Amino acid sequence: MFQMQSGGAGVYTAKSTVNEKVIENRPVSREKYIAFANRVYDFAEKYNGSVATQDDCKSPFTIRMEKAGAVKDVQGCRGSDETGELGKIIREGEILFYSE
C-alpha cells in the first residue's frame, strides 16, 4: 500500500507498507504532495461510483481520501481503465516516493 499524509507544521510524508508492516516512511515536499494529491483526486472523481466486485474484476483498486476528517473511498477496476491512467499515477507515486 502507498499512503501520503499531511501533518501539522507543514510536514508531508509518503509511506509504503506491505501486510500492514511499514517498509519506508519518507518526507515529501509540499509542492509535490499537493500536485500528486490533486492528480489522485481528479482520477478518483472520474471513477467515482465504479465499484469493483470479486466476481467481475481481477484487479480491483481502492483510493481512500481524507480531508478535514471526512473520508471518501472510491473503488474501481484497473481493467476498466482503458487509458491506463491509474498505472501512470502509480508510477508517478513510486517516482515521487523514491526521488525525495
Side-chain angles (χ1 to χ4, degrees):
M1 177 171 70
F2 180 74
Q3 177 182 4
M4 290 183 62
Q5 185 172 3
S6 65
V11 176
Y12 302 89
T13 59
K15 179 170 50 174
S16 177
T17 61
V18 174
N19 296 328
E20 299 181 17
K21 180 181 177 185
V22 176
I23 304 300
E24 284 194 65
N25 193 9
R26 297 173 174 244
V28 177
S29 72
R30 179 182 188 275
E31 295 79 20
K32 290 182 180 180
Y33 173 88
I34 291 171
F36 187 72
N38 285 336
R39 180 118 156 80
V40 171
Y41 179 83
D42 290 345
F43 175 82
E45 286 298 304
K46 178 180 175 183
Y47 280 88
N48 191 17
S50 173
V51 179
T53 63
Q54 294 288 1
D55 296 337
D56 64 354
C57 182
K58 295 180 181 176
S59 54
F61 66 85
T62 301
I63 297 173
R64 173 170 275 196
M65 299 175 287
E66 182 176 346
K67 184 175 182 179
V71 177
K72 179 179 182 180
D73 284 337
V74 175
Q75 297 178 328
C77 184
R78 285 186 75 170
S80 66
D81 178 21
E82 295 175 2
T83 63
E85 192 68 20
L86 181 60
K88 292 174 189 174
I89 290 171
I90 291 169
R91 282 189 298 279
E92 287 175 22
E94 291 171 344
I95 291 168
L96 173 67
F97 185 74
Y98 290 110
S99 69
E100 285 290 310

